[in-house]
Amino acid sequence: MSEGGPIPVHRRTIALVGLMGVGKSTVGRRLARRLGLPFADGDIEIEAAAAMTVTDIFAELGESEFRAGEARVMKRLLEGPRMVLATGGGAILNPDTRALLKDRAVTVWMRADLETVAQRVQRRDTRPLLRGRDALTALKAMADVRYPVYATADLTVDVTGGAHAQAVEAIVEALEGHFAVQAPEVRT
Ligand code: S3P
């Protein structure tokens, strides 16, 4: 359990988790607008805190420093006001972050088939973990390790195919179901 313990579901941040390239940032921004909540992108917050790009942090300080910074930023954001939060693909692997997400967020695993994700990530070269590697092979290896962790999210929404707007609506629908089911407990 994180410090302070669980908070009621209707006050929780909505945290998008899942592999790089599934659209967490773009969909998250639109979802926030749709729900009238503030939005934060974990990677952008890390870059602001370090005054360096994610690529440079990996190259100059190494992945472990990046992960330490990521955990600090996640803690700050998850202990702050309710928002829609796009987490970096590896953030939920940290046990402290995972505990905070469990107590303070509704987690939504945005899941898409790996071929679709591989096509998307190939459009940009901003992901250090994919540098010089075949995207599909690297994503498959990541999925083997991460899917069991992503699967612990409160909700899973398939976002394969379809436009971002459709993903937003699918997430809103899943959240409505979740909040409805949780409502009696919330009112106590
Ligand atoms: C990472 C995902 C990236 C970024 C970093 C590491 C990962 O974020 O945090 O490159 O370990 O999956 P996105 O998921 O937003 O691309």
Side-chain angles (χ1 to χ4, degrees):
M1 197 186 284
S2 69
E3 212 176 309
I7 61 169
V9 76
H10 70 291
R11 284 204 268 121
R12 290 173 176 232
T13 277
I14 294 157
L16 304 181
V17 305
L19 283 181
M20 52 180 70
V22 293
K24 291 170 297 207
S25 302
T26 312
V27 169
R29 192 166 277 114
R30 286 178 176 229
L31 179 67
R33 217 177 300 139
R34 171 84 157 69
L35 299 177
L37 287 171
F39 171 74
D41 181 305
D43 288 338
I44 292 175
E45 295 291 329
I46 295 164
E47 291 185 335
M52 288 168 86
T53 63
V54 169
T55 306
D56 286 347
I57 300 172
F58 268 80
E60 291 173 30
L61 306 176
E63 179 169 355
S64 64
E65 277 301 311
F66 173 80
R67 296 298 174 197
E70 179 175 57
R72 284 193 297 274
V73 165
M74 285 295 114
K75 182 171 190 320
R76 170 171 58 78
L77 294 173
L78 287 164
E79 287 180 347
R82 185 175 194 225
M83 63 174 71
V84 173
L85 172 60
T87 68
I92 194 177
L93 301 183
N94 177 289
D96 295 333
T97 301
R98 201 152 64 237
L100 278 164
L101 285 166
K102 190 167 187 314
D103 280 354
R104 306 188 62 87
V106 176
T107 43
V108 182
W109 176 16
M110 287 177 59
R111 186 181 171 149
D113 75 53
L114 293 177
E115 282 78 13
T116 306
V117 181
Q119 278 171 10
R120 286 205 198 140
V121 295
Q122 270 154 2
R123 289 189 216 137
R124 277 195 302 152
D125 186 25
T126 54
R127 293 185 167 99
L129 295 179
L130 298 181
R131 280 266 157 89
R133 307 183 62 192
D134 172 66
L136 186 55
T137 310
L139 288 167
K140 277 187 177 150
M142 253 182 232
D144 284 346
V145 175
R146 294 179 176 188
Y147 274 17
V149 182
Y150 294 155
T152 65
D154 296 307
L155 301 165
T156 299
V157 175
D158 194 305
V159 295
T160 306
H164 288 316
Q166 269 170 272
V168 171
E169 291 317 308
I171 293 171
V172 168
E173 203 173 297
L175 285 169
E176 279 169 359
H178 183 73
F179 289 134
V181 169
Q182 302 285 323
E185 175 203 317
V186 165
R187 296 205 180 94
T188 59

